[in-house]
């Protein structure tokens, strides 16, 4: 299993970023997928999940209405569109095959700062 995140960076409060996660080594199209994050000095936090077909999505209350998870099973890629970013969204973001993040990629740093 390999998960490779990209798209992180530095953005001002109120800005947007889109994260991507390229998956390989397993049958992506049959796997529920998740995004989790880890803020400095804190534990892993589940952010969002999506079913295998991409028809059902789930969000933590802290990001609901601002983040959108999606997937392209033809490209074995998971996405996280992040809008209206806040300083408290600063974290390393991981895509994962489980909501606890036990099997996750190397992460993408997202820094929200003015």
């Amino acid at each position: 299993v390999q998960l490779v995140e990209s798209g992180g960076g530095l953005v001002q409060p109120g800005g947007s970023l889109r994260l991507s996660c390229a998956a390989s080594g397993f049958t992506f199209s049959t796997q529920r997928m998740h995004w989790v994050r880890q803020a400095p000095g804190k534990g892993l936090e589940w952010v969002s999940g999506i079913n295998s077909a991409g028809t059902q999505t789930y969000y933590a209350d802290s990001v609901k209405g601002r983040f959108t998870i999606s997937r392209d099973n033809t490209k074995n890629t998971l996405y996280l569109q992040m809008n209206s970013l806040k300083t408290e969204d600063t974290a390393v973001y991981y895509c994962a095959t489980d909501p606890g993040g036990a099997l996750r990629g190397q992460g993408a740093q997202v820094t929200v700062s003015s």
Side-chain angles (χ1 to χ4, degrees):
V1 173
Q2 187 171 20
L3 301 166
V4 180
E5 300 91 343
S6 61
L10 173 64
V11 63
Q12 293 186 340
S16 298
L17 281 175
R18 188 175 85 151
L19 302 181
S20 299
C21 171
S24 62
F26 64 104
T27 307
F28 179 77
S29 61
T30 64
Q31 178 68 48
R32 293 178 183 177
M33 295 296 296
H34 303 268
W35 287 98
V36 299
R37 67 185 180 185
Q38 186 165 27
K42 297 188 177 181
L44 283 172
E45 175 192 17
W46 176 81
V47 173
S48 182
I50 188 168
N51 69 341
S52 57
T55 56
Q56 295 179 329
T57 58
Y58 311 89
Y59 300 94
D61 287 345
S62 58
V63 306
K64 198 172 295 182
R66 300 187 298 120
F67 290 11
T68 303
I69 190 172
S70 62
R71 65 192 296 159
D72 186 338
N73 286 344
T74 67
K75 297 181 178 179
N76 286 358
T77 302
L78 180 72
Y79 302 100
L80 185 68
Q81 177 67 45
M82 304 184 293
N83 298 330
S84 302
L85 282 161
K86 305 176 181 180
T87 55
E88 53 263 44
D89 294 318
T90 295
V92 179
Y93 285 72
Y94 303 91
C95 63
T97 59
D98 64 285
L103 188 58
R104 61 187 186 269
Q106 87 290 347
Q109 176 69 50
V110 172
T111 302
V112 185
S113 175
S114 55

